[in-house]
Amino acid sequence: MSEPTTPPAPRVRSLLSPGRYVQGPGALARLGGHLADLGSTPVLVADDVVWGLVGHDVTASVRGAGLPVHRDVFRGLATAATVDRLVGVVRELGADVLVGVGGGSTIDSVKAAGHSAGIRWASVPTVASTDAPTSALAVVYTAEGAFEEYRFFPRNPDLVLVDTQVVANAPAALLAAGVGDALATWLEARATAASGATTMAGGAPTLAGTALARLSWDVLWDNALPALDAVRDHLVTPAVEKVVEANTLLSGLGFESGGLAAAHAVHNGLTAAPQAHGLAHGQKVNLGSVTQLVLEGAPTSEIRDFVEFTTRVGLPNTLTEVGLAVDDVDVLRAVAQAATVPGETIHSMPFPVRADDVVAALRSVERFSTRVRAEAGLPAPVRHVAPH
C-alpha cells in the first residue's frame, strides 16, 4: 500500500503599494505638508539640473510646512557607494525622512539608503520615465553603468508625489521612455500569470496586480500619442494625466505584484553592452518587449502592431537603435547570458529560455521590425551611438 502524499501548500499571493500617491499640476506646493506627516527632519536629494528646475518650489513648500531644508547633491548612478554615502548623510544630520527628487537613479538611491538607515522615504519624480518611484525595490548598478543587483525592501515609499506640470515641462522623450517601461508591464504580467512564478512582492501574482498591468497597457494605447503631442508644447491635458499615472502608479503596482519576465531581463543584459549605454531604461526595456514577444511565438499581427505603435511613440524596436547589429554575435551572446543567469526574471516565463534562444530572438527582431516599419511608411531605424 503506497504512502499517502502530502498536498502542496497553497501559494500565498501578495500586493504592495506606496503609502500615499499624489498627482496633479502644482502638486509640489503640497510636498511640505505631506512630508510633515512623515517626520521633522527631511533630506532632499536632487542633482543640480533638477534642483535648478524645481528647487525654489520645493524649498518654499518645505519651509512653508515649518520644516528645515537640507539638500544633498546627487551625482551619477544608483551604486552601492552612492547608497552608503547617503546613509552617512542621514546619520550626520539626524534625518528621519529621505526624499528623492528627480529621476529613477536618484529615487532608487534614496529608497535603498532610507531602508539601510532605518528611516522613512519619499519619491518626488520630476519625469514619468520609469515606474521606479512607487516600488519597494531598487536597481543598483556598477560604477560603469552595468546592472549589478535588485535590492528588495519590506515596504514601498511612504509618499509618491508627482507634479504633472513639471513632467510636462520635461523633454517628451523621457515620457516616451516611461511608456516603453510601462508597456512591458502587461506583457510580463500575463507571462507570470501563465507560469505562476513568484513576483517582486514575494508571492504568486494577485488578480489586482495583473489587472492593473492590463489597465496600464490599455491606457497607454489610447493616450500615449496625444499625451506626447501635448508634452511637446508643455501642456497638461487629460491624456497626459492618464499616461503619467499609467507610467508611474499603474505600471509600478502592475510589475511589482503582477510579475516581471523576459523584457526586463533583456534590459538588464543590455546594460552589459557598452554600445547601449546612454539609452534610457524604458528604451532598452522596449527592445526587451519585442524580444519577449518573439520568444513567446506571439501572433505576427501582435508583434507588428507593437512595432508600429512603439515606433510612433519613438521607442527602439531594433538592434540598430541600441547600437548593435545582427553580426555582433559575441556581444549579443554576452547580453543573452546576462539575461538568463539564475535568478533573472526571464525564468518567470511559462517555458524554459536559454541564452541561445535570446540571441536568436534578438537577431530576428532587426529584419522583422525594419520591414514592418517600411511597410507602414514609418521612419527607418537610426543607429544609436553611445557617449564616450
Side-chain angles (χ1 to χ4, degrees), residues 18-23 133-134 158-162 241 244-246 248-250:
R20 181 182 294 272
Y21 182 84
V22 180
Q23 176 186 311
T134 64
D158 296 281
L159 169 70
V160 179
L161 185 142
V162 192
E241 292 283 359
V244 170
E245 183 176 343
T248 310
L249 179 63
L250 298 179

Side-chain angles (χ1 to χ4, degrees), residues 43-69:
V43 173
L44 306 157
V45 183
D47 63 40
D48 286 335
V49 173
V50 165
W51 197 251
L53 295 171
V54 302
H56 179 271
D57 291 341
V58 169
T59 298
S61 181
V62 172
R63 284 182 176 158
L67 299 174
V69 176

